[in-house]
C-alpha cells in the first residue's frame, strides 16, 4: 500500500481522483450531461492572470500555479472566471480530470500507474456519456413538441336499459327504440401548449358514436340518461371535431381566458365538487346545480381573481357566437344562446363553498324532466342561483367525501312561444354525491349519487304541477393500472318524463353498464 500512496502524493490531482473515480459505475444514473458538457467546453488557461476571480491571497493559489506550470491544465469559464468556490459533482470532477489528462505532455511513471489503475472506470465513464448523448439525440429528434403535451381520454361503454311502468305507450316506445344492448366509445385528445410556462393554449379533438336518436345513453328516451362519457359529432358517428379551443394566461392574481370554443367550467377559479367527473350520469357531475353550471360551450371570455381561499369568477359564453346573422346568433344578441355566470368561491384543503348566479338565454338546455326541457328550449331568459360545496376527509376510510348542491331557477319568455301549453315559471334541482377511496384495494373507489333533476315547481298560470322526479347512481371503479380503469355501474330514473307522464301512470328506467377508461 505504501508505494501506491507515495505515487498519489506525487500527483497534485490524485486526491480528487481517489474519491471520485472508484464508484463511477454505481453513480452513472446521476450524471448531469449539461454540466459535463459545460466542463468539456471550458477553456484552458496558461496563466492565473487570465482568471478574474483568482487572487494571490487565495489559499489554493500556489496549487493552481503548480498545475499550470507543471501540466498546463487549469480550466476557466468563457467569461474569464474560475469560480473556485462552486461545488462540483463527482462526475464533473472526473470529466475535468480527464480533460486535464489530455493536456499532459510528459506522462510520468506515477501518472501511468494512476491511469492504469483507473483505466476501467474511465472507460465506463466515457461509455456512459456516449450512451446518454446518443439517447438525448434520439429523444430530441423524436419528441412530439417542446411546448405541447398530449393527453388522451378514451372511454368504451357496453350496457343496456330496462323500461317499466304502467304507461304502456311510453314503455313500448322506449323498448322499441332504445331497448338493445349497445357498445360505444367516446375519445378525447387534448393538446396543451404553453409558450411562457404559465399560460396554456388548449385544443381538444373529440369523436364518438353515441347516436342521439337511438342511444339511451345519450339522447333517449330523455336526456336524463345521458352519460358523462357519451358524445357524437353533429356530422355523424366516428367524425373527429374540434371540441375546445381557448387560451388562458395569468396577470398577477387574475387569470384571463378567451376562445372560440370554451366551456363554462374552463373559466371558473374553483369547482365546488369533488364527486368525480368520470363516473356514470352527466347530471351528477354538475355540482348539484345543472342549470347554474349548465356547461355551455361556445365563443366566450372570462376572468377570475384568486387570493388565498377566496375567488371571484366572471364570464360570458355565446353558443351562437360563430354566426353573423343577429337573428340566428352572434354575440350580445337575443339569439346568442348565451350564458353569463358570476361565482363567489371559498376553498380550503378539505372543504369548499360556492355561490353562483347565471343568466341563460333560451335554448341553452340543461338536463331536466321532459316537461321542463320543453320550456328551457323556448326563447327567453332563465335566471338561476346555485349554492354548492363539498367536504372530504384527510385520509381514506369509512368516511366518504360529500359533494352537494341546490339551485332555484326563474324563467321568462319571449313572445310568441313556439309550443302550446302552460309554461313553467320556477324550477328547482339538487343532488348529493358520496365517494369512498381505496375500497377493497388501494386505488379502487366506490360512490353513489342521488337527487332530483330540474323540475317545475310552479307554472305561469298558477295551476298545480307534479313534475318531480328522483335519480340515483351506484358504481365501483377498479384501478387496473395507472392508465386503465374499469367501472361497472347502475342508475335509476323514477320519473324522467315528469309532468309529461300520463296522470295516474308510471314510467321508470334502470340502466346497467361497464365502462373501460384509458387515460394517459
Amino acid at each position: 500500500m505504501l508505494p501506491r500512496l507515495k505515487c498519489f502524493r506525487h500527483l497534485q490531482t490524485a486526491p480528487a481522483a481517489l474519491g471520485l473515480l472508484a464508484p463511477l459505475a454505481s453513480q452513472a444514473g446521476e450524471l448531469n450531461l449539461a454540466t459535463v458538457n459545460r466542463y468539456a467546453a471550458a477553456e484552458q488557461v496558461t496563466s492565473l492572470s487570465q482568471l478574474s476571480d483568482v487572487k494571490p491571497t487565495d489559499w489554493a493559489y500556489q496549487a493552481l500555479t503548480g498545475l499550470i506550470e507543471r501540466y498546463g491544465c487549469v480550466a476557466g469559464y468563457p467569461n474569464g472566471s474560475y469560480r473556485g468556490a462552486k461545488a462540483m459533482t463527482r462526475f464533473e470532477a472526473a470529466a475535468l480530470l480527464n480533460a486535464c489528462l489530455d493536456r499532459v505532455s510528459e506522462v510520468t511513471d506515477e501518472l501511468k500507474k494512476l491511469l492504469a489503475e483507473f483505466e476501467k472506470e474511465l472507460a465506463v465513464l466515457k461509455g456512459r456519456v456516449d450512451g446518454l448523448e446518443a439517447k438525448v439525440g434520439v429523444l430530441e429528434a423524436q419528441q412530439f413538441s417542446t411546448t405541447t403535451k398530449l393527453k388522451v381520454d378514451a372511454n368504451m361503454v357496453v350496457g343496456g336499459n330496462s323500461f317499466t311502468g304502467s304507461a304502456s305507450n311510453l314503455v313500448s316506445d322506449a323498448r322499441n327504440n332504445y331497448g338493445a344492448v349497445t357498445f360505444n366509445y367516446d375519445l378525447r385528445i387534448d393538446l396543451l401548449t404553453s409558450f411562457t410556462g404559465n399560460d396554456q393554449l388548449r385544443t381538444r379533438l373529440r369523436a364518438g358514436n353515441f347516436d342521439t336518436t337511438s342511444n339511451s345513453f345519450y339522447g333517449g328516451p330523455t336526456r336524463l340518461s345521458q352519460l358523462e362519457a357519451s358524445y357524437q359529432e353533429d356530422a355523424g358517428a366516428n367524425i373527429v371535431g374540434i371540441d375546445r379551443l381557448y387560451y388562458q394566461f395569468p396577470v398577477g392574481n387574475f387569470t384571463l381566458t378567451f376562445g372560440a370554443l370554451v366551456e363554462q367550467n374552463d373559466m371558473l377559479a374553483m369547482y365546488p365538487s369533488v364527486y368525480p367527473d368520470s363516473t356514470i350520469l352527466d347530471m351528477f357531475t354538475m355540482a348539484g346545480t345543472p342549470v347554474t353550471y349548465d356547461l355551455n360551450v361556445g365563443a366566450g371570455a372570462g376572468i377570475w381573481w384568486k387570493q388565498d381561499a377566496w375567488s371571484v369568477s366572471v364570464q360570458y359564453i355565446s353558443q351562437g357566437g360563430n354566426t353573423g346573422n343577429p337573428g340566428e346568433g352572434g354575440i350580445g344578441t337575443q339569439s346568442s344562446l348565451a350564458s353569463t355566470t358570476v361565482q363567489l368561491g371559498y376553498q380550503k384543503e378539505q372543504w369548499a363553498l360556492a355561490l353562483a348566479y347565471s343568466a341563460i338565454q333560451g335554448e341553452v338546455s340543461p338536463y331536466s324532466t321532459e316537461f321542463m326541457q320543453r320550456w328551457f328550449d323556448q326563447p327567453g331568459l332563465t335566471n338561476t342561483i346555485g349554492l354548492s360545496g363539498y367536504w372530504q376527509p384527510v385520509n381514506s376510510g369509512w368516511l366518504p367525501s360529500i359533494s352537494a348542491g341546490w339551485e332555484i331557477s326563474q324563467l321568462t319568455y319571449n313572445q310568441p312561444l313556439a309550443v302550446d301549453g302552460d309554461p313553467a315559471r320556477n324550477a328547482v334541482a339538487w343532488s348529493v354525491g358520496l365517494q369512498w377511496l381505496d375500497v377493497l384495494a388501494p386505488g379502487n373507489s366506490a360512490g353513489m349519487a342521488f337527487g332530483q333533476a330540474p323540475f317545475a315547481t310552479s307554472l305561469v298560470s298558477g295551476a298545480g304541477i307534479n313534475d318531480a322526479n328522483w335519480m340515483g347512481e351506484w358504481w365501483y371503479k377498479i384501478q387496473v393500472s395507472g392508465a386503465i380503469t374499469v367501472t361497472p355501474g347502475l342508475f335509476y330514473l323514477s320519473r324522467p318524463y315528469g309532468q309529461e307522464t300520463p296522470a295516474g301512470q308510471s314510467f321508470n328506467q334502470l340502466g346497467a353498464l361497464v365502462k373501460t377508461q384509458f387515460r394517459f
Side-chain angles (χ1 to χ4, degrees):
M1 291 298 294
L2 289 177
R4 180 174 298 175
L5 290 175
K6 182 179 180 180
C7 128
F8 281 118
R9 291 193 189 99
H10 283 288
L11 184 62
Q12 295 187 42
T13 55
L18 273 176
L20 64 90
L21 290 176
L24 287 178
S26 65
Q27 293 190 358
E30 302 173 7
L31 184 58
N32 185 328
L33 267 182
T35 307
V36 172
N37 287 335
R38 186 169 68 248
Y39 272 92
E43 298 179 355
Q44 303 296 327
V45 298
T46 58
S47 172
L48 287 185
S49 62
Q50 296 176 247
L51 302 175
S52 59
D53 55 350
V54 176
K55 299 178 175 56
T57 55
D58 292 333
W59 67 270
Y61 185 83
Q62 293 301 323
L64 293 173
T65 300
L67 282 174
I68 291 179
E69 292 177 352
R70 187 173 181 182
Y71 299 107
C73 60
V74 171
Y77 285 87
N79 64 357
S81 64
Y82 182 66
R83 305 180 194 176
K86 179 179 175 61
M88 67 169 62
T89 67
R90 299 160 71 92
F91 275 117
E92 292 167 354
L96 183 59
L97 175 61
N98 193 50
C100 185
L101 293 178
D102 289 339
R103 295 275 181 167
V104 175
S105 57
E106 296 180 1
V107 181
T108 64
D109 291 340
E110 291 84 354
L111 188 53
K112 287 181 180 179
K113 291 178 182 179
L114 181 61
L115 289 172
E117 182 77 18
F118 296 105
E119 180 180 6
K120 181 178 179 180
E121 286 82 355
L122 288 171
V124 170
L125 173 62
K126 187 176 186 302
R128 299 276 182 168
V129 171
D130 292 343
L132 289 172
E133 286 180 340
K135 291 179 180 179
V136 169
V138 171
L139 289 174
E140 289 179 346
Q142 296 180 353
Q143 65 182 340
F144 171 71
S145 170
T146 57
T147 60
T148 301
K149 294 181 180 180
L150 174 69
K151 293 178 64 177
V152 176
D153 185 354
N155 295 271
M156 295 187 292
V157 180
V158 57
N161 290 266
S162 172
F163 306 97
T164 58
S166 59
S168 58
N169 61 321
L170 296 179
V171 173
S172 60
D173 180 70
R175 288 175 177 172
N176 291 336
N177 292 286
Y178 307 101
V181 173
T182 59
F183 195 173
N184 303 92
Y185 79 92
D186 176 9
L187 174 64
R188 312 170 205 187
I189 301 175
D190 283 295
L191 302 174
L192 307 177
T193 303
S194 178
F195 304 101
T196 67
N198 296 317
D199 62 339
Q200 184 178 97
L201 173 66
R202 182 183 182 189
T203 306
R204 171 181 281 184
L205 309 177
R206 195 170 182 183
N209 65 346
F210 286 82
D211 191 337
T212 58
T213 62
S214 62
N215 191 291
S216 60
F217 294 136
Y218 194 35
T222 69
R223 285 192 63 189
L224 290 181
S225 59
Q226 180 172 327
L227 306 182
E228 188 279 331
S230 60
Y231 183 78
Q232 179 171 298
E233 277 289 311
D234 292 339
N238 308 316
I239 302 296
V240 179
I242 305 298
D243 187 52
R244 296 284 191 283
L245 183 60
Y246 66 86
Y247 182 61
Q248 197 167 68
F249 60 96
V251 179
N253 290 334
F254 295 88
T255 297
L256 283 70
T257 307
F258 67 91
L261 279 175
V262 60
E263 190 176 67
Q264 183 192 48
N265 64 345
D266 296 324
M267 297 188 289
L268 295 175
M270 55 89 73
Y271 198 68
S273 174
V274 291
Y275 190 73
D277 63 355
S278 58
T279 52
I280 308 299
L281 297 178
D282 201 22
M283 208 284 292
F284 286 125
T285 69
M286 304 173 79
T289 53
V291 181
T292 308
Y293 297 122
D294 72 324
L295 304 186
N296 190 16
V297 178
I303 184 172
W304 78 61
W305 168 86
K306 192 171 186 179
Q307 185 168 357
D308 300 326
W310 290 98
S311 66
V312 177
S313 306
V314 181
Q315 58 174 266
Y316 172 88
I317 297 175
S318 171
Q319 194 177 116
N322 63 320
T323 301
N325 186 336
E328 298 178 358
I331 296 176
T333 71
Q334 287 190 346
S335 303
S336 294
L337 305 181
S339 63
T340 302
T341 302
V342 179
Q343 182 200 66
L344 172 65
Y346 187 84
Q347 185 175 36
K348 302 292 284 186
E349 184 178 358
Q350 285 186 257
W351 63 277
L353 195 64
L355 179 66
Y357 163 78
S358 288
I360 307 169
Q361 287 182 316
E363 299 180 47
V364 182
S365 304
Y367 301 114
S368 65
T369 64
E370 197 70 3
F371 175 77
M372 272 307 306
Q373 193 69 53
R374 178 199 303 181
W375 305 113
F376 278 133
D377 284 346
Q378 297 306 303
L381 185 67
T382 299
N383 290 282
T384 180
I385 295 177
L387 180 65
S388 303
Y390 67 81
W391 175 87
Q392 57 185 342
V394 176
N395 301 310
S396 58
W398 290 104
L399 287 176
S401 64
I402 304 173
S403 301
W406 177 89
E407 71 180 3
I408 184 170
S409 305
Q410 184 180 61
L411 290 75
T412 57
Y413 303 93
N414 299 333
Q415 298 297 331
L417 296 176
V419 297
D420 296 329
D422 193 353
R425 172 62 70 196
N426 296 101
V428 167
W430 66 274
S431 72
V432 176
L434 309 176
Q435 179 184 213
W436 290 264
L437 301 178
D438 298 326
V439 179
L440 301 182
N444 294 357
S445 58
M448 60 176 292
F450 56 92
Q452 292 179 283
F455 65 96
T457 57
S458 66
L459 303 178
V460 171
S461 67
I465 181 71
N466 182 22
D467 194 39
N469 70 99
W470 288 88
M471 301 176 60
E473 71 175 24
W474 302 263
W475 52 269
Y476 180 68
K477 180 182 289 187
I478 304 168
Q479 193 75 42
V480 178
S481 70
I484 304 174
T485 60
V486 176
T487 306
L490 296 171
F491 67 83
Y492 177 73
L493 310 178
S494 71
R495 200 166 175 261
Y497 280 95
Q499 180 76 4
E500 296 291 324
T501 308
Q505 299 185 42
S506 62
F507 173 84
N508 47 66
Q509 179 178 348
L510 176 65
L513 58 91
V514 176
K515 180 178 70 173
T516 303
Q517 184 179 46
F518 303 84
R519 276 187 171 179
F520 55 91

